[in-house]
């Protein structure tokens, strides 16, 4: 483990092995930061995303679960990070119904513990916390901003809502530089396979390659705002580089139906999705309505960040990465 140097600024990423953690690590290394990241288990199998980006040897991995205060305090005192990014936690809405306690602890309690560790640090670092559009629920009719009514409708949303409010409370009461990026969906080739977007991309590629006949999906009418993950981590860093801490919506501002995602994925492999996709009631989630429209005006004007990759391009990139991975696996197997 390398000791913090006086010359290089250190950034701590909690949840570095996840999609956003990997891209953020690459971005911060590019900016000259020394990057330290936490993982519950620093086993090599967990570091696949970092390896894919070619940076697994350039970051320091610290085993930490964020479930206890003391190790966090020790880590922050030892590494003296300038900035901390809290991207760790159970990140699936569907799984949160089965694991409500773990979801709450890994999202809300961990945020509270991190804020306390920051508050009591000798040199309090700046803190970014990953929020979620799920805090707004599915019943809002007007475009949402960070001041919109919160209406969490599942255990994941409830945990994110709590974390969002705790960050605001600490900012107000203790004057900390802490803020939440209210993240709408964002994807990339590093999105875990359990998410429907990756299932669609994998399914379209497998059908095009003749390995699979059909793809079974639930409700295709629900709307989401999908962006390109590598762009979102740039916004996270920008939020910690401002003069004052403020929460921002991170979204494209252009929602699409899941059907459009499916159509784009099949089009990218030269197929018509209607010939291959079968509706399967087992995958319909009754409480999984459409997300509200994101207002991105403040983000554009005050943060100076805009998502530039829109859905068709995002899907093309995911499909191309999947096809390239599949081709590499076939070459290895031959
Ligand atoms: P990922 O699921 O890819 O990564 C999250 C990381 O958190 C994992 O790599 C894992 O690291 C750690 N983690 C997972 N479960 C737990 C748990 N129960 N307790 C503690 N740590 C856990 O998420 P993303 O990178 O996609 O998202 C980053 C953040 O942004 C998350 O907080 C997510 O909720 C939020 N967000 C993401 C959106 C998206 O579209 N991607 C949309 C809205 C919000 P390890 O196993 O190494 O410990």
């Amino acid at each position: 483990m390398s000791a913090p140097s006086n010359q290089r600024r250190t950034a701590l990423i909690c949840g570095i092995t996840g999609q956003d953690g990997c891209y953020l690590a690459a971005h911060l290394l590019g900016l000259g930061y020394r990057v330290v990241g936490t993982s519950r288990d620093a086993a090599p199998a967990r570091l696949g995303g970092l390896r894919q980006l070619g940076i697994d040897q350039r970051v320091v991995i610290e085993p930490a679960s964020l479930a206890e205060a003391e190790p966090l305090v020790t880590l922050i005192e030892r590494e003296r990070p300038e900035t901390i990014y809290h991207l760790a936690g159970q990140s699936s809405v569907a799984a949160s119904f089965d694991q409500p306690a773990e979801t709450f602890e890994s999202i809300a309690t961990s945020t509270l513990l991190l804020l306390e560790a920051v508050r009591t640090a000798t040199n309090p670092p700046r803190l970014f916390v990953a929020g979620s559009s799920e805090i707004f629920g599915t019943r809002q009719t007007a475009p949402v901003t960070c001041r919109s009514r919160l209406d969490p409708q599942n255990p994941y949303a409830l945990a994110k809502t709590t974390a969002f409010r705790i960050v605001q409370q600490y900012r107000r009461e203790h004057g900390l530089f802490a803020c939440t990026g209210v993240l709408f969906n964002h994807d990339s080739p590093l999105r875990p396979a359990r998410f429907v977007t990756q299932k669609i991309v994998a399914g379209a590629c497998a059908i095009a390659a003749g390995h699979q006949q059909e793809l079974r999906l639930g409700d295709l009418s629900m709307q989401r705002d999908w962006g390109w993950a590598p762009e979102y981590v740039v916004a996270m860093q920008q939020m910690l580089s401002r003069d004052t801490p403020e929460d921002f919506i991170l979204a494209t501002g252009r929602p699409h139906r899941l059907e459009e995602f499916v159509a784009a994925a099949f089009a990218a492999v030269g197929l018509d999705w209607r010939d291959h996709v079968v509706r399967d009631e087992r995958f319909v989630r009754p409480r999984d309505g459409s997300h509200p429209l994101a207002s991105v005006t403040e983000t554009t004007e005050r943060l100076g960040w805009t998502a530039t990759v829109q859905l068709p391009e995002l899907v093309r990139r995911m499909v191309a990465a999947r096809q390239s991975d599949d081709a590499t696996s076939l070459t290895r197997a031959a």
Side-chain angles (χ1 to χ4, degrees):
M1 185 193 322
S2 54
S5 109
N6 290 333
Q7 278 78 44
R8 264 178 103 194
R9 296 170 296 169
T10 295
L12 175 63
I13 303 176
C14 299
I16 194 170
T17 63
Q19 169 188 264
D20 292 5
C22 294
Y23 286 116
L24 180 61
H27 181 57
L28 294 173
L29 285 169
L31 293 176
Y33 279 89
R34 173 177 173 271
V35 175
V36 178
T38 69
S39 168
R40 288 166 300 170
D41 177 0
R46 280 274 211 308
L47 309 183
L50 294 167
R51 209 172 301 123
Q52 257 177 275
L53 300 185
I55 57 170
D56 53 316
Q57 300 298 321
R58 296 178 59 203
V59 298
V60 179
I61 305 290
E62 285 289 337
S65 76
L66 312 192
E68 292 167 42
E70 195 53 39
L72 281 177
V73 171
T74 308
L75 181 63
I76 291 172
E77 282 307 315
R78 191 181 67 229
E79 299 294 343
R80 300 195 299 276
E82 179 189 88
T83 48
I84 301 179
Y85 297 86
H86 182 15
L87 312 179
Q90 199 292 103
S91 66
S92 154
V93 170
S96 77
F97 288 102
D98 297 327
Q99 305 159 17
E102 181 175 344
T103 301
F104 193 86
E105 277 169 28
S106 67
I107 293 173
T109 311
S110 64
T111 300
L112 179 59
L113 295 180
L114 266 173
L115 282 160
E116 268 299 291
V118 165
R119 183 179 74 77
T120 55
T122 314
N123 295 310
R126 294 179 170 203
L127 176 66
F128 171 91
V129 175
S132 165
S133 52
E134 286 284 335
I135 64 177
F136 300 119
T138 55
R139 295 184 281 234
Q140 318 245 11
T141 47
V144 290
T145 71
C146 286
R147 293 171 303 285
S148 294
R149 182 172 54 86
L150 305 185
D151 184 19
Q153 292 166 21
N154 56 63
Y156 171 83
L158 195 58
K160 287 290 186 189
T161 300
T162 308
F164 180 63
R165 287 302 190 210
I166 300 174
V167 170
Q168 291 179 333
Q169 163 82 5
Y170 268 67
R171 195 163 65 216
R172 210 169 40 240
E173 294 301 322
H174 303 292
L176 297 188
F177 196 114
C179 47
T180 300
V182 180
L183 297 156
F184 281 63
N185 287 50
H186 48 286
D187 279 74
S188 75
L190 296 188
R191 189 69 142 156
R194 65 180 181 275
F195 287 90
V196 71
T197 44
Q198 207 51 293
K199 175 179 170 181
I200 292 165
V201 167
C205 292
I207 291 169
H211 302 317
Q212 192 175 314
Q213 300 306 313
E214 60 180 29
L215 177 61
R216 296 186 159 265
L217 296 169
D219 178 19
L220 298 187
S221 68
M222 61 104 167
Q223 287 198 349
R224 290 285 182 275
D225 180 324
W226 283 285
W228 176 239
E231 289 194 313
Y232 285 54
V233 303
V234 174
M236 295 175 189
Q237 191 271 331
Q238 278 180 226
M239 284 178 63
L240 294 194
S241 304
R242 302 175 75 246
D243 291 338
T244 48
E246 198 178 330
D247 303 327
F248 283 104
I249 299 270
L250 302 182
T252 69
R254 295 189 194 182
H256 294 273
R257 280 173 295 117
L258 188 60
E259 183 183 304
E260 294 173 75
F261 194 110
V262 173
F266 278 82
V269 296
L271 297 174
D272 184 334
W273 71 275
R274 285 164 296 200
D275 297 333
H276 305 281
V277 174
V278 177
R279 183 181 164 98
D280 188 330
E281 294 306 318
R282 285 176 305 156
F283 299 121
V284 176
R285 299 209 307 251
R287 286 162 287 195
D288 204 11
S290 293
H291 284 182
L293 179 64
S295 168
V296 292
T297 310
E298 289 181 1
T299 313
T300 307
E301 291 176 359
R302 297 168 59 78
L303 182 62
W305 178 86
T306 306
T308 65
V309 179
Q310 300 297 333
L311 184 84
E313 177 60 19
L314 159 72
V315 177
R316 269 196 296 276
R317 291 183 187 189
M318 289 180 70
V319 168
R322 179 78 198 194
Q323 287 177 322
S324 161
D325 283 354
D326 290 348
T328 310
S329 312
L330 275 177
T331 314
R332 284 213 188 102

